[in-house]
Amino acid sequence: MLSPNLSKALNKQIEHEGFSSQFYLAMASWAETQGLNGVAAFLFHHADEERMHMLKLIKFVNERGGHGVVPALKQPPTTFKSVKAVFEEILKHEINVTNTINQLVDQTLKEKDYTTHNFLQWYVSEQIEEEALARQIVDKLKLIGDDKGGLYFFDRDLETLAGQVEAKESGGKEGK
Ligand code: FEO
């Protein structure tokens, strides 16, 4: 059974993951209007992943005797300065999410709730991957700079990457 405090904290995380999904969706939609179809495909897919992160938490809270509450929609930014600015925002955002997950893990240890602690390990690993990917992409964009040709190939690469991730997941990746 979840303590009221942990239940509240997990619901806060549900809100963060829900906002992440909206945020990625806003960036995806912006990218599509800029003709960056690969970047858009990657971000649309990521918006779905964030929704899944939220869903997983809702189900866990309910299973443990709490109530996973669906959060209100908050409007994310609608326009972005550049593709590089988008991925810099993503990196900053994911670092913040990692911090919120770490705080949750800390709380489970203080409360000796080892079931929730174990559940959160999936999010800990996921954050390592997400931060690393965002960093890698920001580095690539720094190399490209203002080179339009470079951006064209970058967009194509992200389209391929989005396709690969989707294929891997539809190949039966459990627990995602
Ligand atoms: Fe669900 Fe990108 O953190």
Side-chain angles (χ1 to χ4, degrees), residues 25-81:
L25 198 54
M27 293 185 282
S29 180
W30 172 82
E32 196 164 60
T33 65
Q34 305 299 304
L36 295 158
N37 292 344
V39 173
F42 176 84
L43 295 170
F44 275 125
H45 178 79
H46 207 100
D48 286 346
E49 270 203 29
E50 297 295 352
R51 185 178 178 280
M52 184 274 296
H53 295 176
M54 173 177 68
L55 203 60
K56 208 174 155 82
L57 276 158
I58 289 176
K59 296 199 167 211
F60 177 79
V61 171
N62 290 346
E63 264 169 29
R64 300 274 300 142
H67 181 185
V69 177
V70 177
L73 293 179
K74 204 167 92 193
Q75 171 138 50
T78 51
T79 52
F80 301 88
K81 220 174 77 208

Side-chain angles (χ1 to χ4, degrees), residues 13 16-17 20-21 24 46 49-51 53-54 90 93-94 97-98 101 122-123 126-127 130-131:
Q13 192 64 32
H16 292 320
E17 302 292 348
S20 294
S21 182
Y24 278 97
H46 207 100
E49 270 203 29
E50 297 295 352
R51 185 178 178 280
H53 295 176
M54 173 177 68
I90 289 178
H93 179 75
E94 290 302 339
V97 175
T98 303
I101 295 287
W122 183 87
Y123 286 85
E126 186 69 14
Q127 282 313 119
E130 293 206 349
E131 268 192 43

Side-chain angles (χ1 to χ4, degrees), residues 6-167:
L6 256 178
S7 187
K8 202 169 142 196
L10 288 168
N11 265 302
K12 194 77 207 154
Q13 192 64 32
I14 288 171
E15 215 178 299
H16 292 320
E17 302 292 348
F19 181 73
S20 294
S21 182
Q22 291 287 101
F23 191 31
Y24 278 97
L25 198 54
M27 293 185 282
S29 180
W30 172 82
E32 196 164 60
T33 65
Q34 305 299 304
L36 295 158
N37 292 344
V39 173
F42 176 84
L43 295 170
F44 275 125
H45 178 79
H46 207 100
D48 286 346
E49 270 203 29
E50 297 295 352
R51 185 178 178 280
M52 184 274 296
H53 295 176
M54 173 177 68
L55 203 60
K56 208 174 155 82
L57 276 158
I58 289 176
K59 296 199 167 211
F60 177 79
V61 171
N62 290 346
E63 264 169 29
R64 300 274 300 142
H67 181 185
V69 177
V70 177
L73 293 179
K74 204 167 92 193
Q75 171 138 50
T78 51
T79 52
F80 301 88
K81 220 174 77 208
S82 63
V83 180
K84 189 164 151 269
V86 162
F87 283 94
E88 279 168 350
E89 280 288 324
I90 289 178
L91 179 57
K92 213 164 75 189
H93 179 75
E94 290 302 339
I95 291 171
N96 283 336
V97 175
T98 303
N99 288 338
T100 61
I101 295 287
N102 287 344
Q103 279 162 24
L104 267 175
V105 171
D106 197 44
Q107 197 173 337
T108 59
L109 288 177
K110 279 187 187 126
E111 295 195 19
K112 297 190 173 24
D113 181 340
Y114 301 115
T115 309
T116 307
H117 182 268
N118 186 46
F119 166 78
L120 288 173
Q121 296 314 301
W122 183 87
Y123 286 85
V124 171
S125 315
E126 186 69 14
Q127 282 313 119
I128 296 172
E129 274 181 35
E130 293 206 349
E131 268 192 43
L133 183 60
R135 243 179 225 114
Q136 224 178 311
I137 294 178
V138 167
D139 286 346
K140 230 181 230 182
L141 285 165
K142 276 184 192 153
L143 277 178
I144 292 169
D146 293 329
D147 177 5
K148 291 256 186 302
L151 192 59
Y152 172 81
F153 285 111
F154 169 81
D155 188 57
R156 242 180 37 176
D157 281 355
L158 275 204
E159 190 144 38
T160 309
L161 188 62
Q164 281 167 351
V165 175
E166 225 156 303

